[in-house]
Amino acid sequence: MTAHSSGVSRRSFLGAAAVGAGAVAADMTALDVLRSPLLASELKRGEKRVILLWLAGGASQLETFDPKPGRPTGGPYRAIPTAEPGIHVSELMPKFAQRIKHTAIIRSLDTKIADHGQAARLMHIGRRDEPSLRYPDLGAILARELGQADSRVPDYVNFYTATEGRGSGISQAGFLGARYNAMFLTEQNTPQNLHKLEEINDLDHVERAELRNLLTARFARGRESAPLASHNEAYARVRGLMASEKLFDISGEPQRIREMYGPTLFGEQALIARRLIEAGVPFVKVSRAWWDSHGQNFETHLELVTELDHVMSALVDDLQARGLLEHTLIVTLSEFGRTPVINASLGRDHFASAWSVSLTGCGIRGGTVYGASDEDGQTVKDGKVGAGEVFATIFQALGLDHQKHYEVGIRPVPLTDIGTKPIKEVLA
Amino acid sequence: MSVDLQLKTLKEHSRKEIFLCVVRAPGGSRIFVGASDGNVYDVDPLAEKPDFQPLAGHASFVTGVAVAGDLLVSGSYDCKLLWRKLAGDEIVHSVENAHSRWIRKVVASPDGRLIATVGDDMVCRLWEAPSGKLLHELRGHDEQTPHHFPSMLYTCAFSADGQRLATADKTGRICLWDVSTGARIKQLEAPGFYTWDPRQRIHSIGGTRSLAFTPDGKSLLAGGIGAIGNIDHLDGPARVETFDLESGQSTHVFSGDAKGLVEQLVFHAEGKWLLGVGGDNGGFWQVYDLAEKKVVRSEKAPMHVHAAALSDDAMQLCAVGHGKVVVWQVENAAPGSN
């Protein structure tokens, strides 16, 4: 298997941090270092980051990115103009509408699969499952491609607090190996089992680590082996992860920032995502479940889209204010969209034939719409794409060659299926 | 009150629209129906080939229609109220942004002098019916649910004497108002209508969807849906809760076999019986015995019923809903009962 990452090494970054900020914790929990313009700019220059907002259960394209007002399928919501002339979105997204210059909307996904489990798999790995090969998901690939070998922060963090659909939203490193599995947070916003034992005080903890290092160095003298290196790397990562716990604690954030994201769980997790991104975590997935509105679609979307609009806008504003938006790609994905036909419960059902996703920030030509559904939203009228094209576009936006191959045994496996092309129209 | 009813279908008309509200024109069988295409339809559903005459003017779902004197007032998710003459379709008055969010219900006072409207701005507004002049703004419902999401003010109803008005929201809060002063008299809580799922799906469903005062004005009934396990669907018990208005206490919860929302409660003018209509993916109608505190009948309707209107003689009930208009003959099911 071959894979290469580029960018500023974390070791050199940490060295700079130590020089610039005095006694800086080597685990990057001290976010104050980022107040140094030099350090922040170094981080910004080299490293690309991704926040995936996973809208689990299937968000309605008609109540978000592809409204059809006045049509029998359109539902009750109006379309509102955005800051970009000619582009309209649902009236439930007024804040997003004003920030459209950072976002490309893709309105022409036809992904065929309208079953939660299979569709979620498709939109996580960008292609159909294969019996003989376990593919890594988007987060694992980007952890590998954007992360640093000697990273002491997690490469891939996945929030999924709701229980519905969690089984389909779980991460999968596949053939990349367990090194790229996500830190998976389900029960609370802070990682569990990272605390040192209560009976061990801080001094003991440090001294134990120093003793282990001493013994390891003595043992390693004159020896070279991959298992030994891996063993030591694992210890280093665990120590880094233990110390990174503070990244998940938003209590120290200014009240103004906390209010900006709002009081909901989704808002809080988005704020943590920003903290993680800022500290160098390359991929954070925040799962917002559950959008499966078979009954009362419009009431459900009034709740969930209002929240999405607020949280996405907070993320955009916050990342922009910190100079990080141009290096951070915010992606909204679902497993599918929802039927144009309104059922008797005023609900919408599963629909994969013409639905929408959005890409915001890094590498994206903002203020654009790609593709179109027909006037009732029943079929793709123009620019039909699938999951592979969306993944290729994401890779390209991050400066990654979507045709790059991993070697799995003797088999070359490209990042996206052969023949898949990125959607150039939405790339900067 | 102890009566069992049977509803016999007289007419059933299928349409492509979703019908959300209905009101009868005085005398005869003509009705006005608010629809999902933004039209109010003027139709005689008892006609052999009914002609659904569209009255345009709204840009979204029409969710409230009321007749006051010779005027028809309609409200919509487009936040607009329209006054028009019953004869012809001339719009004589309109209020853009009558509410800053969706209008959920429009009702006329029993004497036809007032119009009450509720919307998701969580305000009830009282209007002078003939002129359209705003008289009172009634504020007592929170704009957000306890879980920080937008709340919804679904419904309102006048008492039979027209002196009191009740309003009810998504979380189950019910406010009682003095119509002449606009003062809040009482606040009732009916949280059993609101399902918040903090664990599996992390959003909410439900709400108090219908209200009716007993004809003697001593009790108030609220309708909606009870606790739902899987909030992807309207998969909970149709729920009606009664409140004693003197004490403000809940006195009973009716929960029969039917699943879904109780969208409207229909009292016989003299209190001889009470009907509830609603649905989930299908529809139902139910008869409630307030004295015996039980659901005496629960039957399927041909569609999710969003609203119903009773004829002046209480012999016909016109129900509207998902793709259908149905006229039922109201008959006593138990011979000898009053």
Side-chain angles (χ1 to χ4, degrees), chain A residues 76 288-290 295-296 299 303, chain B residues 60 154 201-202 204 209 232:
Chain A
R288 180 44 170 121
W290 178 249
Q296 301 286 285
E299 320 289 299
E303 284 196 338
Chain B
S60 187
Y154 281 118
R201 293 167 175 85
I202 314 185
S204 72
R209 306 299 182 103
D232 293 348

